[in-house]
Amino acid sequence: MGDNIDRLRALLGEGAREAPASQEEPHANSPQDSTAIDPVDYASTDPEDDEKILSISRVLGGEMDPKIISVPESEPELPAYDLETGELAPAGHNFVPLKALEKYHHTYVEGANRYKVNRNYFDKQKFYTHEWDFFYIYPPPELSPNASVLVPLAQVEHFIWIINRHLKTHLGIPIMERDPGFIIDCPDDGTPRPRYIGRSNDYETAVLTKKAIPSKGYRPPNEPASSTKPSDESLEAFKERMEEMLEMDKKKKQALKSKKQAVRFAKQQGWNRVTKRVQRYLGLRGRQTEVDEWGIKVSAPTAGDGLAKIEADLAKLNIKTQIDVTKPVPFKQESSVVFICVDVEAYEKNHRLITEIGIATLDTADIANVVPEDRGTNWFSAIRARHFRVKEFGHLNNTEYLQGCADMFRFGTSEWIKIADAPKSVADCFKAPFSNPLSPSPIDPFEKRKIVLVGHDLPADIAFLRQLGYDPGNLSNLLECTDTTHMYRAFRQEPNNSGLGKVLADLDIAGWDLHNAGNDAVYTLQAMVAIAVKSLVEKQGFREREKEVIEKKIKEAMEAAAEVVRENKEGWSSGGEDSDGGVPGPPLGEENTQQQQYGSPGANRKENSARGGASYGAARGMKSSWRRRGGSNPAPVRKPEREDRDVF
């Protein structure tokens, strides 16, 4: 059964999970609670397959790497800390930030080991059931005003040794070069050292202990003054260690954010692909190997500059086959699948009491030659449905958290069954002729058809089916699972899941008497069909509008280019072929000689004017700027210039 569950998880996109861990004799410091250790033994894991940590730490029994702090094969010795709150840690001891250790299984453990380590030693606060001595240290105030909580490296090594011994893993300590902030060394150089807070071996005590951090200036009454004065180099090294410790926490947060973003993007892209596969099953889309971002084959030329780039953009919008909803689908239906939708209703005050089971079926063979019309409404009539009510719980009706309507099945007649017969009744709907034995399929009933399991929030309905005793993971012909909550989110790019009522309203589908299992199953299949048709038609319309814009740009660019060509041609025109060339002009040599000999009239006038101006000034005479003084040797004196003369 485990293989079937893993297979179903894979179909749902969740991935298979590791089997639970073994129950060995617990170590003295192993987590102790009612759900601590699982009773199944783990096989020894291959270090090269599932542990990223091995690229940064030493494998037990391997060659010692001087850059790596290894976890010894034998049980590490634990130092005894007999300290009071606020006392200094012994010099030379190394520590690990508590925040980094709390995320150890997420940051440094990969593959199947992550699930095992988390389940047995971190999940549900099991991490704190190990015995820890908590210390604190205040970074320089310019880095952070708050103290950081540390635990001794020796206790971390002992904790990892316990994990390796129990789960047969090969975990280790990250090397300093990769994560220098994971290990904080505290030399006796006069710089601040961690101070003791207290000891804890359960979560409640750990919370209280971490809250009991003294103020920055607190010192025990009998603490002697430090005899070592830190050098500038020591203070700089201490600041660097604190920066690395704080930066490591920021990097882990950023890495976690980036990882969550990548997971979200992968999910969103996967939901879009689900819709495209549904379109292929319905014949709305062909299976192609080279597709663009819309999933439609294109032949795009290499984009250049100018007009070539515009034409390349236009080529990307060329659709090989237009979908016309007023005509039969243009593609062959892939895999000839049968869509089977399940919806299960349980009593709102006790979900173990299942009151209704609704199953709806859409056989693609029934709609092969049917015109879909807008939103695929012509295909709705091909949906067949059955509605089962459980006799033992027929008197229960939901009224407090939602309004149940078990007696309002709109697509047939409800059938009463015993809870013990529910698995067989459900199983019959997954076999030919599926949900309606009175309307056989045109396909050979002995042919094993591919099944696509559909639901709105499908994992919840699968859990209810298993509770009844029917596991769809046992179906060998189960092709995939499709959840309309994801299809709708991809269609409208919604950040959160939407209820079936909202989805139907947006798709313009009248949904009456919701929360009846039979009705909900039918409406879910209608929503699936409508999303598949509507999303393709809307994107097709968007492409057409984009194509019109680009074609307009091409037309404008071609008209502008033609105008430039006409202007260039007119500049070289000599009057057309009917002109005779006109009167001949003077020879080129004579024209140049005449101008060189006599010059141009304008030039002569300027030259004569300049000469005439000079003669005119000389003829009138210029008053001397020198005067004679009295005396035998009169000195020449320059006449002072007038202050009020005009300046040109």
Side-chain angles (χ1 to χ4, degrees):
M1 181 175 177
D3 293 339
N4 294 326
I5 293 175
D6 289 342
R7 181 169 175 267
L8 189 58
R9 282 199 180 105
L11 289 169
L12 286 168
E14 297 178 359
R17 295 184 178 178
E18 182 75 15
S22 64
Q23 173 74 52
E24 292 188 6
E25 181 180 350
H27 189 272
N29 284 326
S30 296
Q32 301 292 324
D33 61 22
S34 58
T35 60
I37 307 298
D38 295 325
V40 179
D41 188 22
Y42 287 113
S44 180
T45 55
D46 185 353
E48 296 182 357
D49 289 341
D50 56 6
E51 297 176 33
K52 181 175 69 176
I53 190 69
L54 293 183
S55 64
I56 55 174
S57 66
R58 172 179 173 270
V59 179
L60 294 181
E63 183 179 353
M64 177 67 73
D65 187 337
K67 297 180 181 179
I68 294 171
I69 300 176
S70 63
V71 176
E73 295 184 30
S74 58
E75 183 174 3
E77 294 184 4
L78 288 173
Y81 292 104
D82 187 14
L83 302 173
E84 297 293 332
T85 300
E87 283 193 56
L88 281 171
H93 284 215
N94 294 333
F95 294 85
V96 174
L98 181 61
K99 287 185 177 180
L101 184 58
E102 288 174 334
K103 302 172 184 176
Y104 176 88
H105 57 300
H106 285 303
T107 309
Y108 302 109
V109 185
E110 286 288 328
N113 280 350
R114 176 180 293 175
Y115 174 74
K116 296 187 294 186
V117 171
N118 177 55
R119 180 178 177 84
N120 289 277
Y121 289 94
F122 287 89
D123 189 33
K124 297 181 180 179
Q125 315 301 339
K126 293 187 181 73
F127 167 80
Y128 289 101
T129 61
H130 191 78
E131 187 171 88
W132 300 105
D133 285 297
F134 293 118
F135 291 76
Y136 70 94
I137 190 168
Y138 279 94
E142 63 269 22
L143 297 181
S144 175
N146 302 318
S148 295
V149 180
L150 311 173
V151 293
L153 175 62
Q155 293 183 358
V156 175
E157 290 178 336
H158 188 263
F159 178 61
I160 294 176
W161 177 85
I162 292 174
I163 296 175
N164 288 337
R165 176 177 175 269
H166 170 224
L167 301 181
K168 300 181 177 65
T169 53
H170 300 80
L171 307 181
I173 303 295
I175 60 174
M176 296 285 288
E177 285 77 1
R178 182 185 186 274
D179 282 321
F182 189 84
I183 299 176
I184 308 300
D185 58 336
C186 302
D188 188 12
D189 57 1
T191 56
R193 297 205 308 269
R195 293 179 177 272
Y196 191 69
I197 308 175
R199 182 171 298 157
S200 166
N201 58 7
D202 62 78
Y203 178 68
E204 290 76 11
T205 305
V207 172
L208 295 175
T209 302
K210 289 189 291 183
K211 289 182 178 180
I213 298 176
S215 62
K216 186 174 183 178
Y218 174 79
R219 299 292 183 270
N222 299 324
E223 180 178 313
S226 175
S227 59
T228 305
K229 183 178 180 180
S231 63
D232 293 340
E233 292 79 5
S234 299
L235 291 173
E236 188 64 29
F238 170 74
K239 183 178 179 180
E240 184 177 349
R241 291 195 298 272
M242 295 296 100
E243 285 178 342
E244 290 170 346
M245 178 184 69
L246 298 174
E247 186 65 24
M248 182 181 180
D249 187 46
K250 293 179 182 178
K251 287 182 178 178
K252 298 309 176 189
K253 289 181 179 178
Q254 183 61 37
L256 183 60
K257 180 180 178 181
S258 300
K259 185 175 182 179
K260 288 182 177 179
Q261 186 181 58
V263 171
R264 186 176 74 252
F265 289 168
K267 285 183 178 180
Q268 292 170 348
Q269 293 166 4
W271 298 339
N272 269 311
R273 296 188 187 102
V274 168
T275 301
K276 291 178 180 179
R277 289 196 298 273
V278 170
Q279 291 167 349
R280 282 165 30 202
Y281 301 145
L282 294 172
L284 296 168
R285 181 187 294 272
R287 187 184 185 96
Q288 299 174 8
T289 54
E290 296 179 1
V291 295
D292 65 357
E293 60 177 341
W294 300 90
I296 299 177
K297 190 173 183 179
V298 297
S299 55
T302 303
D305 295 327
L307 186 59
K309 185 178 186 304
I310 297 176
E311 290 177 341
D313 292 338
L314 179 64
K316 291 181 180 179
L317 295 173
N318 288 334
I319 302 175
K320 183 178 180 181
T321 303
Q322 295 280 353
I323 301 300
D324 187 349
V325 295
T326 63
K327 298 178 181 179
V329 293
F331 299 102
K332 181 181 178 181
Q333 296 170 334
E334 185 177 319
S335 301
S336 184
V337 305
V338 178
F339 293 100
I340 299 180
C341 179
V342 296
D343 185 84
V344 181
E345 297 290 328
Y347 185 48
E348 58 191 356
K349 295 183 179 179
N350 186 352
H351 288 178
R352 298 190 63 83
L353 305 180
I354 294 176
T355 58
E356 303 173 62
I357 306 165
I359 298 182
T361 302
L362 176 61
D363 190 339
T364 55
D366 294 338
I367 59 172
N369 299 312
V370 178
V371 174
E373 290 295 345
D374 185 36
R375 295 173 289 114
T377 51
N378 272 9
W379 291 345
F380 290 178
S381 59
I383 297 175
R384 307 188 294 245
R386 296 183 73 177
H387 179 230
F388 301 107
R389 297 187 64 182
V390 179
K391 290 182 179 180
E392 289 85 342
F393 311 123
H395 62 287
L396 301 176
N397 190 36
N398 294 328
T399 57
E400 186 171 343
Y401 302 112
L402 54 88
Q403 185 59 50
C405 49
D407 56 345
M408 298 296 291
F409 180 47
R410 288 178 165 266
F411 300 95
T413 303
S414 300
E415 305 172 50
W416 289 94
I417 60 173
K418 294 181 179 180
I419 189 69
D421 298 331
K424 183 180 183 304
S425 299
V426 172
D428 289 341
C429 295
F430 283 81
K431 303 173 185 177
F434 303 101
S435 295
N436 192 349
L438 302 179
S439 178
S441 171
I443 303 295
D444 183 0
F446 297 101
E447 179 184 347
K448 201 166 190 178
R449 306 284 300 284
K450 294 290 185 181
I451 290 175
V452 175
L453 186 60
V454 184
H456 197 79
D457 190 16
L458 184 57
D461 294 309
I462 290 176
F464 281 132
L465 290 180
R466 288 180 183 156
Q467 183 179 319
L468 281 172
Y470 180 80
D471 187 0
N474 291 329
L475 294 169
S476 61
N477 56 335
L478 181 61
L479 182 60
E480 71 168 301
C481 296
T482 297
D483 199 323
T484 50
T485 58
H486 299 158
M487 288 182 64
Y488 182 75
R489 284 183 66 177
F491 174 47
R492 293 303 189 200
Q493 298 183 1
E494 293 279 346
N496 301 308
N497 291 342
S498 299
L500 183 58
K502 176 185 175 181
V503 173
L504 295 175
D506 182 44
L507 298 173
D508 198 21
I509 297 175
W512 298 99
D513 298 318
L514 296 176
H515 301 297
N516 175 289
N519 295 342
D520 286 0
V522 173
Y523 290 138
T524 299
L525 276 187
Q526 291 182 0
M528 181 200 74
V529 169
I531 292 171
V533 176
K534 195 174 178 65
S535 62
L536 192 59
V537 171
E538 286 188 2
K539 288 180 180 179
Q540 189 170 280
F542 172 77
R543 279 172 166 261
E544 289 299 323
R545 291 190 295 272
E546 287 290 304
K547 188 175 181 180
E548 290 176 1
V549 172
I550 293 178
E551 285 178 340
K552 182 179 179 181
K553 289 182 179 179
I554 291 177
K555 183 178 179 181
E556 292 174 352
M558 293 179 68
E559 290 177 353
E563 182 65 24
V564 171
V565 171
R566 284 195 298 269
E567 290 177 355
N568 291 338
K569 187 175 181 181
E570 289 174 357
W572 289 100
S573 176
S574 59
E577 292 299 324
D578 294 334
S579 66
D580 59 3
V583 179
L588 183 61
E590 293 182 3
E591 183 178 359
N592 288 345
T593 303
Q594 184 178 4
Q595 289 184 1
Q596 290 175 1
Q597 182 176 358
Y598 300 104
S600 63
N604 291 336
R605 282 197 299 270
K606 289 180 181 178
E607 185 179 353
N608 294 335
S609 174
R611 286 197 296 267
S615 300
Y616 176 75
R620 291 187 60 185
M622 300 295 293
K623 292 184 179 181
S624 173
S625 60
W626 300 93
R627 285 186 180 180
R628 292 183 178 272
R629 287 187 178 182
S632 58
N633 295 317
V637 177
R638 183 181 295 275
K639 182 180 178 180
E641 297 180 357
R642 293 179 57 185
E643 297 295 334
D644 58 346
R645 69 176 181 174
D646 295 332
V647 179
F648 295 95

